[in-house]
Amino acid sequence: MAITNSEEGVWGLDEVYNKINQSDWTYGGGDNDTGLWGWGNGGNGVLGQNENNKSYSSPVQIVADAPYSNGWKALCGGGGADATFVFGFQGSDTSDNENGTTWSWGWNVFGQLGLNENGNAGNASSPTQLPGGNWHYITRGRYTAFGLKTDATLWSWGYNGQGVLGQGQSSHQQRRSSPVRIGPATSKWNISGGGYPSGTRNRKIHISGYAGFALKEDNSLWSWGSNSPAGRLGQNNTTSYASPKQVEGPDGVATTNWAYLCSGQRGTNCMAIDLDGGLWGWGDNDDGDLGFNSRTNYSRPKQVGYDNNWTDVSIGDNHTVGLKSDNTLWTWGKNDQGGQLGHNNTTQYSSPVQVPGSWNQCYASLNSTIATKTDGTTWCWGTNWVGNLGQNSTTPYSQGSSSPVQVLGKASATHLTGMYGAWMGIFSPPG
C-alpha cells in the first residue's frame, strides 16, 4: 500500500501511526488497502484464523494473503446474537458482481455455509469460496442463510426449523447445504440500496431465529417460519407459515411502504423503517426492546413514537439500537450484561434513550453493541466475556463497559457485523 505525504525519509511504525492519527499523512493505493479484522469469541473457526476455537481480545486480521488478494468489499449482516459463521464478498473492482467472489467460514453443522450439494457439514476455519456467483447480498440467522442474487431472486439454505427456509415445508429434516430458490423465478425481491459490491449493509432480507423476512420490489414486506409465541411474523396471529406471506399494516391492510428491516436475532421480534423514516416494531416485548414504553407484545406492526427521521435499526439479544438522520444514536431494552445500552448504568429502558456523540453506523449483538462515529472511530460497549470489546482484556460475563470504549488500534470501519460474542469489520489502515 502507498503512503501519501509531503515529507521524505524513513519512518518507524510508531511515527507513521502518530502522523496518520494527527492527519499529517493519509493512505492511498488500491483495493488492497482494505483489511478484514475480527475479535472476541473464535468458536468454530468464525474468526478465520485457521483455528477452531481460539478467541482474541484485540483485533486480528483475517487472511491478508493470496488467494484472498482482491480486497474485501462487504460482509453479511444479521444473526449477531447466535451465529458463528460468516459470509464475505471480494472483488477486483467495486462495480462488477460477476468478477467478484463470495466466501464463507465458521460453523457448518446444518450446511449453512452453502458450500456444496452433498450435505457436507464440516466447519471451515478459514474462508472457503462459495460456488456460483452473482450474489447481491447474503444474510444469516442462527443456523440458516438467505441470499439475494442480482436477478432479484431470493435463495435459502441451512436448517429448516419451523419452515424458515420458505420452501413450503416445515420439517427440520429438510436442511439444505446449497442455495435453493424461494418461490418462482418470476418472484422479484428488493435489491436496491446496499449490498455487494457497494460495501454497505443491505437491509431488505433478514432472519430471526426460525423466521424469515424480506421486501419485494414493490416495497411490500413478507414473512414466514415460526410465529409463536408472540406473533413475530406480524400477521396479527401466532400461526406459522412455511412459505412467504405478506405482512399486514397497522390497520390490517397490507402496505407497500417499507424501506428497511431488522429482526430480533434470537427469533422473538422484528423492527422495520418505512419510506417516510418511521420506526415500527412487533413481536415479543418482554424486555421493552420494541421501544413502546411498555412490555406489551404486538403481533402487528406498531410505530415507535412519532419521529420520521430513523435511518437504521439493529436488534441484539433483547436490546435495540437505532440511528437517526441527525447522527444521533438511541438504545433501549435489556441492560443487565455490562450495560449494553451504553448509558453508563445497567438500568433497563423501554423507550429510546440517546447515547451521546455523533454516529453513522450501529450494530447490536449478544449483550453488546458496536458503532462508528462520524469521525471514523469504532466503539464497543456491553459485556466483554471473551474480549469482544477489543480492549486486549477479558472480564466476567456480566461485566464489561456500560459506556462506549474505543476499539484498540482500529478506525474507519466501512462495514461491521456481529457473531456470538465476537465482532468483525472491514477497516482502512493503519490497522
Side-chain angles (χ1 to χ4, degrees):
M1 64 183 65
I3 296 177
T4 303
N5 67 296
S6 58
E7 301 179 59
E8 295 181 357
V10 178
W11 302 91
L13 290 179
D14 289 341
E15 294 173 295
V16 171
Y17 186 77
N18 288 336
K19 284 181 174 293
I20 293 166
N21 281 342
Q22 295 166 9
S23 300
D24 293 334
W25 285 0
T26 59
Y27 275 82
D31 290 332
N32 291 329
D33 276 354
T34 298
L36 180 60
W37 299 73
W39 62 98
N41 181 17
N44 300 302
V46 71
L47 294 183
Q49 301 299 311
N50 201 28
E51 301 164 327
N52 193 38
N53 287 302
K54 186 175 181 179
S55 299
Y56 293 84
S57 59
S58 57
V60 290
Q61 190 167 13
I62 297 165
V63 291
D65 302 322
Y68 320 98
S69 57
N70 284 331
W72 294 98
K73 301 299 180 185
L75 288 170
C76 71
D82 278 353
T84 55
F85 63 105
V86 180
F87 294 90
F89 301 87
Q90 290 198 346
S92 56
D93 56 57
T94 58
S95 61
D96 189 354
N97 295 75
E98 293 183 2
N99 290 335
T101 54
T102 307
W103 303 78
S104 61
W105 62 99
W107 195 38
N108 193 36
V109 68
F110 298 110
Q112 61 265 42
L113 295 185
L115 295 176
N116 60 64
E117 299 177 354
N118 300 318
N120 183 1
N123 295 344
S125 58
S126 59
T128 304
Q129 190 170 345
L130 192 69
N134 296 325
W135 291 106
H136 173 75
Y137 191 72
I138 294 174
T139 193
R140 72 216 149 119
R142 192 173 190 179
Y143 313 120
T144 311
F146 295 163
L148 277 172
K149 288 201 170 185
T150 54
D151 63 358
T153 56
L154 180 62
W155 301 70
S156 64
W157 59 97
Y159 185 67
N160 191 43
Q162 306 296 315
V164 66
L165 291 182
Q167 303 292 336
Q169 299 181 22
S170 58
S171 172
H172 69 276
Q173 298 295 334
Q174 193 212 13
R175 61 189 65 173
R176 304 285 188 177
S177 58
S178 60
V180 179
R181 188 177 62 240
I182 297 177
T186 54
S187 192
K188 299 300 181 182
W189 302 84
N190 196 321
I191 62 172
S192 64
Y196 176 81
S198 69
T200 59
R201 179 161 59 95
N202 180 285
R203 294 168 288 171
K204 311 295 184 179
I205 57 175
H206 223 285
I207 305 172
S208 174
Y210 302 130
F213 301 84
L215 300 182
K216 284 195 172 181
E217 281 187 332
D218 63 356
N219 298 314
S220 59
L221 175 58
W222 298 70
S223 63
W224 59 95
S226 174
N227 196 27
S228 61
R232 74 197 74 178
L233 296 185
Q235 304 290 347
N236 198 32
N237 59 40
T238 55
T239 303
S240 297
Y241 301 89
S243 298
K245 177 179 173 60
Q246 190 169 358
V247 174
E248 294 185 354
D251 56 0
V253 179
T255 67
T256 56
N257 192 43
W258 300 105
Y260 310 117
L261 59 91
C262 179
S263 53
Q265 294 166 4
R266 285 200 165 180
T268 59
N269 51 24
C270 185
M271 302 200 79
I273 297 174
D274 63 29
L275 293 173
D276 299 317
L279 179 62
W280 300 75
W282 60 94
D284 180 84
N285 193 35
D286 286 349
D287 295 298
D289 43 331
L290 290 182
F292 299 139
N293 197 30
S294 73
R295 298 188 183 183
T296 303
N297 298 338
Y298 294 86
S299 60
R300 179 183 286 167
K302 173 181 171 61
Q303 189 168 4
V304 179
Y306 301 99
D307 290 345
N308 288 312
N309 60 341
W310 294 96
T311 60
D312 200 5
V313 63
S314 181
I315 309 174
D317 184 24
N318 302 314
H319 79 287
T320 307
V321 55
L323 190 68
K324 292 186 177 182
S325 58
D326 59 2
N327 298 116
T328 56
L329 186 69
W330 303 75
T331 61
W332 57 98
K334 203 169 185 178
N335 195 31
D336 62 337
Q337 297 294 327
Q340 60 264 46
L341 297 186
H343 300 310
N344 197 31
N345 60 38
T346 54
T347 303
Q348 186 166 319
Y349 297 91
S350 58
S351 57
V353 178
Q354 186 177 351
V355 178
S358 179
W359 307 86
N360 62 8
Q361 192 177 183
C362 62
Y363 202 105
S365 189
L366 178 68
N367 303 321
S368 62
T369 306
I370 194 170
T372 58
K373 289 188 174 182
T374 52
D375 64 3
T377 54
T378 304
W379 301 72
C380 287
W381 55 95
T383 185
N384 191 41
W385 64 289
V386 283
N388 50 298
L389 295 186
Q391 301 300 306
N392 196 31
S393 67
T394 60
T395 55
Y397 187 82
S398 62
Q399 298 180 20
S401 177
S402 60
S403 297
V405 291
Q406 188 172 354
V407 178
L408 294 178
K410 305 309 300 176
S412 302
T414 59
H415 201 276
L416 296 166
T417 193
M419 293 84 71
Y420 181 77
W423 295 108
M424 191 169 291
I426 297 174
F427 293 89
S428 297

